[in-house]
Amino acid sequence: MGGPDPLTLTLPPHTQTVLTQFLQDRLAAAGARGYLLGLSGGLDSAVVAALCARAVGQENVTAISMPARPVPSSDLARDWATALGIRFQSLPIDELYKKSRELLKPLLEQTEGQRRAAALANMPPRLRMTAL
């Protein structure tokens, strides 16, 4: 990753304060000790991870990557977690994805073209959302 500190976000000070306070308040309201979040390797989840680490401390954030097959973004997720100094685990969902496709096979066979492709493409994100 190299370069500037990944916890240094270029946001207006008021925005940083509001987001940090919001994350601290939500954590306290939940009575939780830290944040567990999905880290895909993309920019959106990396920003959320950085905000959480800034708000509650790196030691209180755990990132989970759930690749549906070996993909480069799972390496990026690990790189982001390392750069941010947060805990990281990879929990592949290949088997869950395969089983879901088997269970939904009768419905998928009735769906054609782009709708079928969209359904298949959306399965891994929905499985991740359910797990988290």
Side-chain angles (χ1 to χ4, degrees), residues 65-75 90 92-95 97 128:
S65 173
M66 291 185 255
R69 57 197 171 282
V71 290
S73 64
S74 60
D75 292 338
S90 180
I93 59 169
D94 295 335
E95 291 302 314
Y97 177 64
R128 291 180 190 108

Side-chain angles (χ1 to χ4, degrees), residues 11-90:
L11 296 171
H14 176 71
T15 302
Q16 290 184 46
T17 301
V18 169
L19 291 171
T20 299
Q21 190 63 54
F22 173 81
L23 290 166
Q24 291 168 346
D25 291 348
R26 293 301 101 210
L27 193 65
R33 295 180 305 218
Y35 279 103
L36 174 71
L37 56 93
L39 189 60
S40 67
L43 186 58
D44 294 353
S45 63
V47 169
V48 170
L51 286 169
C52 288
R54 172 181 283 174
V56 301
Q58 296 155 295
E59 67 281 1
N60 297 312
V61 179
T62 300
I64 307 291
S65 173
M66 291 185 255
R69 57 197 171 282
V71 290
S73 64
S74 60
D75 292 338
L76 287 173
R78 183 180 307 281
D79 291 346
W80 273 117
T82 299
L84 292 169
I86 61 177
R87 287 184 297 273
F88 177 82
Q89 285 193 324
S90 180

Side-chain angles (χ1 to χ4, degrees), residues 72-120:
S73 64
S74 60
D75 292 338
L76 287 173
R78 183 180 307 281
D79 291 346
W80 273 117
T82 299
L84 292 169
I86 61 177
R87 287 184 297 273
F88 177 82
Q89 285 193 324
S90 180
L91 302 171
I93 59 169
D94 295 335
E95 291 302 314
L96 185 57
Y97 177 64
K98 238 167 55 174
K99 188 66 174 171
S100 296
R101 282 185 67 156
E102 288 172 23
L103 290 170
L104 295 173
K105 187 176 179 179
L107 292 173
L108 291 169
E109 288 174 346
Q110 296 173 23
T111 309
E112 296 181 15
Q114 288 182 331
R115 289 183 62 165
R116 183 173 193 270
L120 290 170

